[in-house]
Amino acid sequence: MKVTFETDASMERSLAKIVTNPAEQQRWDEIDKAISHLERQLVVINPKNNRNVQIQPSSILAIESEDRMCNVRVISGESYLLGKRLKYVEEDVDSSQFLKINNSTMINVKHIQAFAATDHARIQVELKDGSSYYVSRYYIKNFRGKLL
Amino acid sequence: MIANLKHSFFQVFTITLLWVTLLITLFFKDQTIQMGYLWNLAGIAFIAAVVFGVMYDALWNYFTLKPIWNIVISSTINILGGTAGVWLFSEEMFHFIAPWFPGMWLLSIVLHTIAFYFYARMDSRKKAEELNKILK
């Protein structure tokens, strides 16, 4: 596949638009995976053996604040630790990929299944692995641009 | 979050201080006050800023507590803040309205239940639907 690059100053940073012939639409998944492999790896701690592990941000489901550290849940079901406060993690990760949903949780936009109103007058986000988190009203204001 | 709450605290503090000063000027313009009473006005503004600028903003926008806790916290702090504000404004007025406190407390619980349970439930449904539409 021949690739051409163009720049567009009106586009936000960390966003790339790929235009293909309709016939190539079935290859979009492959292209997406290939690009995902290029993303910057995140260094986390495996709590079982205290060793550093490199993971791809796209495999992260949620990042939750835990005192001075963060708990990182990945799609495979494992959990890792990140030795930073959540506010510093926010600066490190791709803001178009991760969404802060309450004071102590960030989720990966890619893994959102649906939003639901719970019995207790609260809003919940359900992720593709079946887990769910409560969403603060304040952060909903920022969702529109990131979910489109 | 802290920056936003701080901003709304000072916003409500300023508006309340000006509002109470305006009311006093309109209704008690012939009365003289002691300089110490200015601290009472500052106290009233402080209470209003904590209740309306910080508490409601935090409970509604930032926290994800169960409605029962929102109702208990908001109605309790609202009534305590209100009575303290009246007491700071005038002890005479405080004693005059004291018999109505239980009724006011009950009304406060009813209104907070409507806001933090029924309205919040409606609002949550609407917002969840909107977000799901965006996801599609």
Side-chain angles (χ1 to χ4, degrees):
Chain A
M1 181 181 282
K2 190 185 171 196
V3 179
T4 59
F5 286 93
E6 285 177 21
T7 58
D8 181 353
S10 67
M11 275 175 76
E12 63 180 83
R13 286 188 69 172
S14 75
L15 180 74
K17 184 181 175 184
I18 297 167
V19 184
T20 66
N21 184 290
E24 298 281 2
Q25 194 164 341
Q26 61 211 24
R27 296 188 64 197
W28 282 5
D29 266 354
E30 285 173 44
I31 297 166
D32 189 34
K33 275 178 191 159
I35 291 167
S36 296
H37 279 290
L38 300 173
E39 68 186 347
R40 205 157 55 107
Q41 304 259 307
L42 200 69
V43 179
V44 291
I45 305 158
N46 187 340
K48 291 170 190 165
N49 54 19
N50 248 356
R51 286 192 180 155
N52 283 355
V53 185
Q54 284 198 331
I55 57 168
Q56 287 196 319
S58 57
S59 69
I60 297 170
L61 278 168
I63 304 170
E64 295 165 86
S65 173
E66 267 187 29
D67 296 330
R68 291 174 180 275
M69 296 183 98
C70 285
N71 178 33
V72 179
R73 284 184 51 242
V74 294
I75 196 79
S76 61
E78 285 165 317
S79 287
Y80 298 101
L81 290 170
L82 197 55
K84 284 178 186 177
R85 283 177 177 269
L86 191 67
K87 61 179 175 185
Y88 299 118
V89 176
E90 266 181 89
E91 294 162 9
D92 284 354
V93 296
D94 180 355
S95 62
S96 65
Q97 195 181 352
F98 285 89
L99 205 60
K100 197 168 182 188
I101 54 162
N102 60 45
N103 287 333
S104 59
T105 316
M106 284 176 84
I107 56 164
N108 191 334
V109 176
K110 262 188 175 179
H111 300 301
I112 295 174
Q113 182 73 44
F115 289 92
T118 69
D119 301 339
H120 294 292
R122 290 181 286 187
I123 302 157
Q124 208 170 257
V125 61
E126 290 159 9
L127 301 183
K128 283 175 182 168
D129 72 329
S131 61
S132 58
Y133 295 94
Y134 289 115
V135 182
S136 297
R137 280 180 172 80
Y138 172 79
Y139 294 101
I140 289 174
K141 296 168 198 164
N142 310 327
F143 285 12
R144 193 167 291 274
K146 293 191 179 185
L147 294 177
L148 285 170
Chain B
M1 173 183 153
I2 300 294
N4 282 322
L5 292 178
K6 207 187 280 184
H7 174 76
S8 64
F9 172 90
F10 285 108
Q11 205 174 28
V12 176
F13 182 89
T14 310
I15 290 165
T16 308
L17 193 61
L18 292 170
W19 179 243
V20 176
T21 306
L22 178 76
L23 291 178
I24 287 173
T25 315
L26 288 174
F27 296 105
F28 302 98
K29 56 174 170 262
D30 299 329
Q31 273 194 37
T32 52
I33 55 162
Q34 288 185 319
M35 291 305 277
Y37 188 75
L38 293 174
W39 287 105
N40 288 32
L41 296 186
I44 293 166
F46 176 83
I47 289 164
V50 168
V51 175
F52 299 108
V54 177
M55 182 193 74
Y56 283 116
D57 197 7
L59 289 179
W60 184 259
N61 284 317
Y62 294 97
F63 296 169
T64 50
L65 300 170
K66 281 188 175 177
I68 181 75
W69 290 116
N70 284 336
I71 292 159
V72 167
I73 293 165
S74 56
S75 54
T76 306
I77 294 178
N78 183 291
I79 279 295
L80 290 175
T83 50
V86 171
W87 186 80
L88 283 171
F89 184 78
S90 156
E91 265 187 75
E92 208 180 321
M93 190 185 277
F94 176 85
H95 293 300
F96 179 73
I97 65 167
W100 283 285
F101 284 152
M104 282 157 65
W105 181 65
L106 204 67
L107 182 69
S108 174
I109 288 174
V110 169
L111 293 175
H112 283 100
T113 304
I114 291 167
F116 278 108
Y117 187 71
F118 296 106
Y119 177 72
R121 205 165 60 165
M122 224 167 54
D123 180 69
S124 298
R125 277 199 197 128
K126 206 174 81 182
K127 284 205 163 79
E129 273 172 31
E130 274 173 27
L131 291 167
N132 283 326
K133 267 182 201 164
I134 297 169
L135 270 182
K136 285 170 193 171

